[in-house]
């Protein structure tokens, strides 16, 4: 029983950190201690592993949403020309 | 970094203004276009929006502190878009309501196939529906971070909220979409 409660608490602890773990954003890094504890838990907990897999899959799906590479290089070129023109016009 | 932009805030007297502004902005053009593409109706509109954004940014450069140029530009992009639409169709559209999801690209050969009964071609409609069903504030967080790959700080700046708020909105958005897809008839068998 104590084991189950402990497991539940660790799952909650992990759930609160899984986003920061997967994103690894510089604004919200986990400590090395948190990372190893989380990875240790993921290695043994099927439920949290599945949640992590769902997160990864969702992120991958959404990252393809813009139609892959998306932006037409000619579009970038035109905007770059426009940028140059702003400067030229201003200093002319 | 030390942008000369910051030390030469006047437009009129300084020929270094242009190159400094260009150096600042040029690396961000692609990101601006990508974001613009999802909030407008097509490539031509997206280009117009980005050009208008750059014009406004140029005029506002003396109020820019030189930090986080991407976030600064994206904020202007968002406001510009809101203004342009207010002009065209008064009162109809609120800014991030405008997020128009580009056609998903499932079934593309580069989509990795492992772990992904979850991300299946047939899920396309469910994912679309789940994202659309989100509160616009949550949806914005999801789209900026997961679709456009902005950092927490950049996305937070675009939305005008603290990083902590962005993170909690992102987390709620992801959880909702994840759970919506999990209970979808298409995937229930695979995931439970
Ligand atoms: Zn767990």
């Amino acid at each position: 029983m104590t084991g189950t409660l402990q497991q539940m608490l660790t799952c909650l602890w992990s759930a609160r950190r899984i986003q920061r773990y997967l994103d690894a954003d510089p604004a919200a890094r986990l400590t090395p201690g948190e990372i190893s504890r989380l990875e240790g838990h993921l290695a043994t907990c099927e439920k949290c592993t599945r949640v992590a897999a769902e997160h990864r899959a969702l992120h991958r799906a959404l990252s393809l949403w813009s139609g892959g590479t998306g932006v037409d290089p000619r579009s970038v070129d035109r905007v770059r020309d426009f940028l140059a023109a702003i400067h030229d016009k201003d200093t002319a | 970094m030390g942008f000369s932009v910051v030390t030469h805030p006047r437009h009129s007297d300084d020929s270094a203004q242009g190159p400094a502004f260009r150096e600042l902005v040029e690396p961000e053009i692609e990101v601006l276009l990508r974001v613009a593409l999802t909030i407008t109706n097509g490539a031509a509109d997206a280009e117009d929006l980005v050009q208008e954004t750059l014009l406004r940014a140029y005029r506002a450069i003396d109020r820019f502190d030189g930090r986080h140029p991407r976030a600064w530009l994206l904020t202007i992009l968002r406001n510009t878009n809101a203004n342009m639409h207010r002009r065209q169709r008064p009162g109809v559209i609120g800014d991030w309501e405008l997020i128009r999801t580009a056609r998903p690209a499932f079934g593309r050969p580069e989509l990795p196939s492992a772990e992904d009964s979850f991300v299946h071609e047939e899920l396309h409609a469910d994912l679309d529906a789940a994202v659309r069903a989100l509160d616009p504030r949550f949806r914005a967080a999801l789209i900026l971070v997961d679709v456009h790959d902005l950092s927490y700080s950049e996305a937070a700046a675009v939305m005008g909220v603290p990083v902590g708020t962005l993170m909690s909105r992102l987390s709620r958005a992801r959880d909702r979409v994840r759970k919506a897809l999990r209970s979808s008839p298409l995937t229930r068998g695979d995931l439970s």
Side-chain angles (χ1 to χ4, degrees):
Chain A
M1 204 60 202
T2 317
T4 313
L5 181 62
Q6 183 62 46
Q7 173 77 10
M8 247 176 62
L9 290 173
T10 311
C11 287
L12 279 173
W13 183 92
S14 300
R16 281 197 297 268
R17 284 162 184 80
I18 198 81
Q19 171 169 289
R20 286 164 64 201
Y21 172 70
L22 294 172
D23 288 345
D25 191 280
R29 288 219 192 284
L30 294 177
T31 66
E34 286 175 313
I35 290 171
S36 60
R37 183 176 170 195
L38 186 54
E39 286 175 347
H41 179 68
L42 289 176
T44 59
C45 178
E46 203 178 305
K47 185 172 138 249
C48 290
T49 299
R50 194 181 65 178
V51 168
E54 287 177 2
H55 272 287
R56 286 198 183 94
L58 177 61
H59 176 72
R60 194 151 58 233
L62 288 168
S63 70
L64 292 169
W65 232 20
S66 52
T69 54
V71 176
D72 183 347
R74 284 168 303 178
S75 203
V76 177
D77 287 344
R78 280 191 296 269
V79 173
R80 197 174 284 131
D81 291 345
F82 177 80
L83 190 59
I86 294 178
H87 170 58
D88 296 344
K89 186 163 170 274
D90 203 57
T91 54
Chain B
M1 281 216 178
F3 300 111
S4 53
V5 153
V6 180
T7 50
H8 298 275
R10 295 280 150 253
H11 292 170
S12 49
D13 61 357
D14 186 11
S15 61
Q17 176 70 31
F21 179 71
R22 273 162 75 179
E23 278 164 33
L24 200 71
V25 165
E26 236 177 54
E28 310 301 338
I29 288 176
E30 197 168 327
V31 171
L32 291 172
L33 281 167
R34 258 195 294 137
V35 174
L37 273 170
T38 68
I39 61 175
T40 59
N41 291 314
D45 285 356
E47 264 183 63
D48 285 348
L49 175 57
V50 171
Q51 292 185 358
E52 180 68 25
T53 299
L54 295 185
L55 213 51
R56 290 184 189 205
Y58 189 72
R59 292 187 196 123
I61 190 72
D62 50 354
R63 275 172 280 142
F64 176 52
D65 65 6
R67 297 183 305 140
H68 310 304
R70 180 176 298 176
W72 176 65
L73 289 164
L74 286 167
T75 305
I76 297 174
L77 179 94
R78 184 188 68 152
N79 294 335
T80 304
N81 186 54
N83 291 344
M84 286 168 94
H85 280 274
R86 213 167 286 140
R87 218 158 50 217
Q88 288 160 11
R89 286 192 268 170
V92 177
I93 309 168
D95 53 6
W96 284 107
E97 294 284 356
L98 283 168
I99 288 175
R100 182 188 64 84
T101 48
R103 285 300 92 206
F106 298 124
R108 297 165 64 89
E110 63 267 41
L111 182 67
S113 61
E115 130 189 339
D116 293 349
S117 46
F118 185 62
V119 183
H120 189 272
E121 267 186 57
E122 293 157 33
L123 265 181
H124 158 157
D126 289 340
L127 178 57
D128 194 83
V131 174
R132 282 171 195 282
L134 292 171
D135 178 292
R137 292 169 309 159
F138 296 161
R139 187 167 58 222
L142 186 79
I143 291 194
L144 291 171
V145 174
D146 281 314
V147 178
H148 297 303
D149 206 28
L150 299 192
S151 71
Y152 290 173
S153 309
E154 289 162 355
V158 170
M159 294 171 68
V161 299
V163 169
T165 305
L166 177 272
M167 286 168 65
S168 87
R169 288 183 187 176
L170 179 62
S171 169
R172 290 176 70 173
R174 284 170 171 171
D175 282 347
R176 281 179 197 186
V177 172
R178 218 163 39 80
K179 282 165 189 165
L181 295 188
R182 194 192 279 165
S183 63
S184 149
L186 288 172
T187 52
R188 199 182 296 136
D190 297 322
L191 283 166
S192 56

